[in-house]
Amino acid sequence: MQENRCGQCNRKLAEGSYIRLNIKCPRCNTLNHLSAPSTVQERQTSVEETQAHGRTAY
Ligand SMILES: [Zn+2]
């Protein structure tokens, strides 16, 4: 089982496996973007391109 912690305050946010997860830390309000380290099915490699579209939800 995989533990997922907040990048800011290291609070434990979730446990388990996922492909991609956006989770807001209840303690410090940091929005954490988590993605599984090895996803063979996922072919898109450039993460930055998704941010090119002006409007992001956060
Ligand atoms: Zn936090």
Side-chain angles (χ1 to χ4, degrees), residues 1 3 6 8-9 11 16-17 21 27 29-31 35 41 44 46 51-52 57-58:
M1 196 69 87
E3 267 189 11
C6 173
Q8 193 67 32
C9 68
R11 186 194 200 278
S17 56
L21 188 66
R27 186 200 273 174
N29 266 8
T30 300
L31 188 57
S35 55
Q41 302 141 327
Q44 51 174 4
S46 55
Q51 298 169 342
Y58 29 89

Side-chain angles (χ1 to χ4, degrees), residues 6-57:
C6 173
Q8 193 67 32
C9 68
N10 215 36
R11 186 194 200 278
K12 187 166 127 184
L13 299 173
E15 208 173 73
S17 56
Y18 57 90
I19 295 173
R20 231 181 270 161
L21 188 66
N22 290 350
I23 188 164
K24 195 174 196 177
C25 175
R27 186 200 273 174
C28 69
N29 266 8
T30 300
L31 188 57
N32 291 268
H33 306 271
L34 310 168
S35 55
S38 58
T39 43
V40 188
Q41 302 141 327
E42 212 168 359
R43 303 202 70 188
Q44 51 174 4
T45 40
S46 55
V47 183
E48 283 114 38
E49 272 185 54
T50 51
Q51 298 169 342
H53 283 280
R55 201 181 264 200
T56 33

